[in-house]
Amino acid sequence: QPVASGGGLEQPGGSLRLSCAVPMRIYYMAWYRQAPGEQRELVASISNQGIAHYIDSVKGRFTISRDDAKNTVYLQMKSLKPEDTAVYYCNGPTSDGGAIWPWGQGAQVTVSS
């Protein structure tokens, strides 16, 4: 299952870079997040051709990338806001809204002054 790392405590306006190792190369990889008391949401996805999609709230601030040689997906986060606080996970999205693997270790991101 995927293992995310790189989270931490950051001030508003700061930056963090998350990494996530996945068991095998797949066509689509994605980052998700789950804030306290909220449902998990898909934040960004990237195809094996490098085509990326983002939810509106992170467009222009987050960048997803992948290194298929390392079976790793990254999320560069800039201009962080308190509402970005959540546990971040990566996985392979399925067409029915599910995920390929069991939810593995997430990375806690806390944005606070």
Side-chain angles (χ1 to χ4, degrees):
Q1 58 195 27
V3 178
S5 61
L9 173 63
E10 187 58 65
Q11 293 186 343
S15 299
L16 282 172
R17 185 180 189 234
L18 304 181
S19 301
C20 185
V22 298
M24 61 181 291
R25 186 181 310 174
I26 54 175
Y27 184 80
Y28 267 114
M29 290 200 282
W31 281 98
Y32 302 74
R33 67 185 179 187
Q34 187 168 19
E38 302 290 333
Q39 288 190 337
R40 186 179 288 122
E41 65 173 346
L42 191 153
V43 174
S45 64
I46 186 168
S47 72
N48 66 350
Q49 297 176 328
I51 299 173
H53 296 278
Y54 304 91
I55 58 173
D56 287 346
S57 60
V58 307
K59 282 181 180 177
R61 301 189 299 118
F62 289 12
T63 302
I64 187 171
S65 61
R66 58 191 288 167
D67 184 338
D68 287 344
K70 298 180 179 179
N71 287 349
T72 300
V73 60
Y74 304 96
L75 188 67
Q76 177 69 53
M77 305 183 292
K78 300 180 179 179
S79 302
L80 284 164
K81 303 177 180 181
E83 52 263 43
D84 296 319
T85 295
V87 179
Y88 285 71
Y89 304 86
C90 80
N91 214 311
T94 59
S95 58
D96 62 355
I100 290 177
W101 296 295
W103 294 101
Q105 176 181 307
Q108 174 69 51
V109 172
T110 302
V111 185
S112 175
S113 55

